[in-house]
Amino acid sequence: MNACIIAVGSEMLTPFRVDTNSLFVTEHLNTIGVDVRMKAVVGDDVAELTALVRGALEWADVIVMTGGLGPTEDDITRDAVARVLGVSMSENEAVVSRIRERFAKRGITMPEINRRQGMVPDGATLVENPNGTAPGLWIEHGRTAMVLLPGPPREMKPMFEAIVRDRLASRSGGEGLFRRVIKITGRTESDVDATVQPIYGPWQSQDVPISTTILAVLGQIELHLTARAADRVAAGRALDAAVGELQGALGEAIYSVDGLGLEAVVGQALRDRGLTIATAESCTGGLLSSRLTDIPGSSAYMQQGVVCYSNESKTSWLGIPAALIEEYGAVSEPVAKAMAAGIRAKTSADVGVGITGIAGPGGGTPEKPVGTVAIAVSAAGDERVRTFQFFGGRELVKFQSSQAALNMLRLLLGYPRS
Ligand code: ATP
């Protein structure tokens, strides 16, 4: 089955509001095997909405519309749908009295204008709205099921879940889409694609077909595997086999196969090994310690994070000899190593990290351009240091530095275990 999702509301054509409802609707349609083929955002304009719905009726099995069911003149969804279907609308007394009661409970007399929310196109079935005034509407027209839901996400979500469970799941033929998100860092997108393309190509035509999407996001690459199967068990088996093939090809570049973020993977590794960590950051200004502490329960392993931005603070806080900074420069592997060792010594944490670099836009030199970052990780008997060259603005350099540091920590800790 193919679906079209329409978000109605002029505010979503401005830079201030985005349509998030369609993400939720897509996710739930996918789980019952319905493909979303088109999404649209349309302003509060009956003519434009009418044209859009008329076009979608020619091909879609399901049209989900959210928003525009409120009481005011610019809430036009019902009118547009009635117009396309050529049906009239009548006031549903039961709906109006329910709305009146909701107002009465708050001690308010229902404004007359709210009667509009009781207008129901002929042939429509009501969908209960436990969290608001406007009911949703379910309308069948030829092969197409139309679902009209209010815009506020907290009203729309439980209503759409009920629609999927009670009405759509049985129509969709029983197959569902099941996802797995594989996360990779330390490799480029083209390199990953060249490695995995020959592997995922044949998955399309196997018994449980799997489609693959590559997404490059800040400092990492995600492979989204989507299996189409009759049930979760069959999908799980096919996805496990696919993930195994990818692990064989990409090895330790894969840091998670279940969507976990890098900071969570590092946290898990520290926790499993019963180790503590302390960080000394310069150019990242505490971003690494912030990301480490984003994980609930990180107090089990996070001991201390310091920001030593000036050379003087590197010397006074971490005990790095001024002569070392003088000789190699603040952004150098010897200084990164001294920062990692220094914070470890100062805190007696099991693992230390040092990050020093040039986030830009100023401060670069021909030998050390903007984006040069030296990172060291240090644990008993194991010390690693690397110099990276990152690109992008200040924020990107900072983020990629924290990402690279987390990845070095993960590899130092040997995680995930093969
Ligand atoms: P109401 O009865 O509350 O007026 P409605 O169906 O008329 O419901 P809208 O007025 O279109 O809904 O939207 C109400 C609010 O819901 C918007 O201000 C916005 O915050 C949110 N909203 C609407 N559509 C979306 C969407 N597609 N994604 C995310 N939020 C949305």
Side-chain angles (χ1 to χ4, degrees), residues 25-26 38 46 51 94 109 122 132 143 173 198 216 235 290 301 314-315 322 341 356:
V25 169
T26 301
M38 184 189 276
V46 182
T109 308
D122 291 350
R143 64 182 257 220
S290 168
Y301 47 82
K314 291 181 180 70
T315 301
T356 173

Side-chain angles (χ1 to χ4, degrees), residues 27 47 82 95 148 165 219 245 288 318 350 366:
E27 192 186 344
V95 173
L148 280 58
R165 187 184 59 235
E245 283 188 64
L288 175 63
L318 298 168
D350 301 306

Side-chain angles (χ1 to χ4, degrees), residues 165-193:
R165 187 184 59 235
D166 301 340
R167 296 176 183 270
L168 285 175
S170 56
R171 290 164 79 106
S172 70
E175 283 203 326
L177 298 182
F178 301 88
R179 284 223 168 76
R180 201 67 68 81
V181 176
I182 317 294
K183 295 191 174 179
I184 297 156
T185 195
R187 304 270 291 259
T188 64
E189 186 183 7
S190 50
D191 175 30
V192 169
D193 194 35

Side-chain angles (χ1 to χ4, degrees), residues 63-108:
I63 302 175
V64 181
M65 304 167 71
T66 68
L69 291 184
T72 59
E73 280 295 318
D74 59 8
D75 288 305
I76 41 100
T77 304
R78 290 182 203 81
D79 305 71
V81 168
R83 197 184 278 193
V84 175
L85 302 181
V87 298
S88 50
M89 291 202 282
S90 45
E91 188 176 296
N92 182 308
E93 201 28 57
V95 173
V96 176
S97 33
R98 247 196 324 270
I99 297 173
R100 196 175 277 122
E101 277 165 29
R102 269 186 85 90
F103 275 97
K105 270 192 200 142
R106 287 185 283 151
I108 307 170

Side-chain angles (χ1 to χ4, degrees), residues 93 182 215 225 234 295 303 339 370 374:
E93 201 28 57
I182 317 294
L215 284 176
L225 311 188
I295 305 304
Q303 210 168 84
M339 289 170 78
V370 167

